[in-house]
Amino acid sequence: MDMLLWVMFYTLISTQGSRSAVSLSEPSGKVYTRVAASGSSSLTNISTTSTLIQPPPVYPSLHTQKLDASGSSGVFTPPARFNNQVLPSFANTTLTNVTVIRGKVAYLHCHVLNIGTKTVSWVRHEDIHVLTVGRLTFTNDGRFEAMNKPGSDVWSLRIKYPQLRDSGKYECQVSTRPSRARVITLNVVEPRAVIPPGPELYVDHGSPLNITCVVPDSPEPPEHVFWYHRDKMVSFDGSRRGVTITTDKGPVTTSNLVIPDVTTQDSGVYICAPQGMKEASVRVSVLNGELPQAMQTGSTSRGCVHSFLLLLLTVLYHLLL
């Protein structure tokens, strides 16, 4: 009995002296345990390896509010480098019809506004051939070349020594979606000189000779008009004295060659040769009082016609009788 009481008393003493523990959690992620024993308490670090689960980071979008240093909120907007809302356009200074003389340099200009980061290309309509892209040339024909000065809005296509076959439509394209384009028509012409009234001219010995050469339908007047006689250039200081050449340039260019008193040495072929254009020629015959052969042939022809009509009237007269 005494032994049983002793065991119960020992068990009670052991229960009251046992340590009780309470787990606390701090914001730093460490776990502490408060220990109560012998009337004192203290915090003991029992775990330093466990951490709190952090949420994924949130990045601000274009319209996400954020707090600055003062704690105020604002709307985040990216800086604008250029205005994407304004599309490239063609200026009114862009000519859509260009006419040049065969052999002279041709320039096709394309004035593009607000080009931004887009590029300009030149395309030939006839064969859908891309000639240039930006400042680069994409053709084996060395006569074509892209031209643009840095900072300029004008993109040009230069064609050296243009020929008649180069006439047609050329397209200036801007690399938008859909692409914007301006069509420019190139006309390569070859003006020719004309000497009226015909290929032959007759003049009496000692009379003045006046030959007029006309250059119609030319986009620009010729720089020079040369005259040749028997394959030699006619000049003021040549062997033939008294020769006068006057040239009036304009939409219709005229050139006159005047010899005050012709001789038999002045007969022959005269050629009017505007620079870079088709030439014209006339044959001059100096007469010594005789009729030209063409006039004699004409008179003979008229005589034959009169004789035929007279014979026809005679036959009809005898048939009616």
Side-chain angles (χ1 to χ4, degrees), residues 157-188:
L157 176 66
R158 181 172 69 177
I159 307 175
K160 295 181 292 185
Y161 310 108
Q163 303 299 316
L164 298 178
R165 66 177 182 273
D166 295 321
S167 297
K169 295 181 179 181
Y170 294 81
E171 188 170 294
C172 171
Q173 290 185 357
V174 182
S175 60
T176 56
R177 293 188 179 181
S179 62
R180 295 194 168 196
R182 176 66 60 90
V183 176
I184 300 177
T185 302
L186 174 64
N187 302 299
V188 181

Side-chain angles (χ1 to χ4, degrees), residues 246-258:
T246 58
T247 301
D248 296 327
K249 298 180 180 180
V252 177
T253 299
T254 60
S255 182
N256 293 285
L257 183 147
V258 178

Side-chain angles (χ1 to χ4, degrees), residues 3-319:
M3 189 66 178
L4 179 62
L5 290 175
W6 172 254
V7 173
M8 293 177 60
F9 178 76
Y10 181 80
T11 305
L12 179 62
I13 295 298
S14 300
T15 304
Q16 291 180 353
S18 62
R19 299 176 179 180
S20 60
V22 178
S23 297
L24 300 176
S25 175
E26 295 294 336
S28 62
K30 298 180 179 180
V31 179
Y32 293 87
T33 303
R34 184 176 299 272
V35 179
S38 303
S40 65
S41 64
S42 62
L43 293 176
T44 303
N45 185 359
I46 64 172
S47 174
T48 58
T49 58
S50 61
T51 57
L52 297 177
I53 300 177
Q54 298 293 333
V58 179
Y59 298 98
S61 62
L62 296 182
H63 301 286
T64 302
Q65 291 187 350
K66 69 174 184 178
L67 297 179
D68 55 16
S70 62
S72 62
S73 62
V75 178
F76 174 78
T77 54
R81 298 181 179 177
F82 56 88
N83 192 350
N84 282 329
Q85 300 301 323
V86 181
L87 296 176
S89 61
F90 297 98
N92 294 330
T93 57
T94 300
L95 298 178
T96 58
N97 201 314
V98 178
T99 302
V100 297
I101 299 175
R102 176 179 175 268
K104 287 198 170 185
V105 180
Y107 291 93
L108 306 183
H109 301 294
C110 187
H111 193 176
V112 183
L113 303 176
N114 194 50
I115 190 172
T117 58
K118 307 302 181 183
T119 58
V120 176
S121 304
W122 283 97
V123 180
R124 184 168 53 199
H125 261 216
E126 182 181 3
D127 51 1
I128 317 297
H129 183 71
V130 178
L131 300 173
T132 65
V133 176
R135 296 187 180 94
L136 301 178
T137 303
F138 290 91
T139 176
N140 294 328
D141 194 337
R143 300 179 302 124
F144 294 88
E145 182 181 2
M147 300 187 64
N148 173 259
K149 295 181 180 180
S152 174
D153 293 332
V154 179
W155 300 79
S156 304
L157 176 66
R158 181 172 69 177
I159 307 175
K160 295 181 292 185
Y161 310 108
Q163 303 299 316
L164 298 178
R165 66 177 182 273
D166 295 321
S167 297
K169 295 181 179 181
Y170 294 81
E171 188 170 294
C172 171
Q173 290 185 357
V174 182
S175 60
T176 56
R177 293 188 179 181
S179 62
R180 295 194 168 196
R182 176 66 60 90
V183 176
I184 300 177
T185 302
L186 174 64
N187 302 299
V188 181
V189 297
E190 188 176 23
R192 61 178 61 233
V194 178
I195 299 179
E200 291 188 277
L201 183 62
Y202 300 96
V203 60
D204 292 330
H205 186 278
S207 299
L209 173 64
N210 188 346
I211 306 176
T212 301
C213 178
V214 181
V215 183
D217 302 330
S218 177
E220 58 182 83
E223 295 183 8
H224 303 283
V225 178
F226 303 103
W227 285 90
Y228 296 91
H229 176 231
R230 296 181 179 178
D231 298 331
K232 294 182 179 181
M233 182 180 294
V234 179
S235 60
F236 301 104
D237 55 354
S239 58
R240 183 64 171 93
R241 300 293 180 177
V243 177
T244 303
I245 299 176
T246 58
T247 301
D248 296 327
K249 298 180 180 180
V252 177
T253 299
T254 60
S255 182
N256 293 285
L257 183 147
V258 178
I259 301 177
D261 51 347
V262 298
T263 63
T264 54
Q265 298 297 324
D266 297 321
S267 60
V269 177
Y270 286 81
I271 298 176
C272 170
Q275 186 176 3
M277 303 179 185
K278 281 280 189 177
E279 59 188 29
S281 63
V282 62
R283 179 177 294 277
V284 175
S285 298
V286 179
L287 306 177
N288 288 316
E290 72 274 10
L291 291 176
Q293 183 177 359
M295 293 182 180
Q296 295 176 3
T297 303
S299 300
T300 304
S301 300
R302 287 193 294 270
C304 293
V305 171
H306 292 161
S307 300
F308 176 75
L309 290 177
L310 181 61
L311 178 61
L312 180 60
L313 290 175
T314 302
V315 173
L316 291 176
Y317 175 76
H318 286 287
L319 290 176

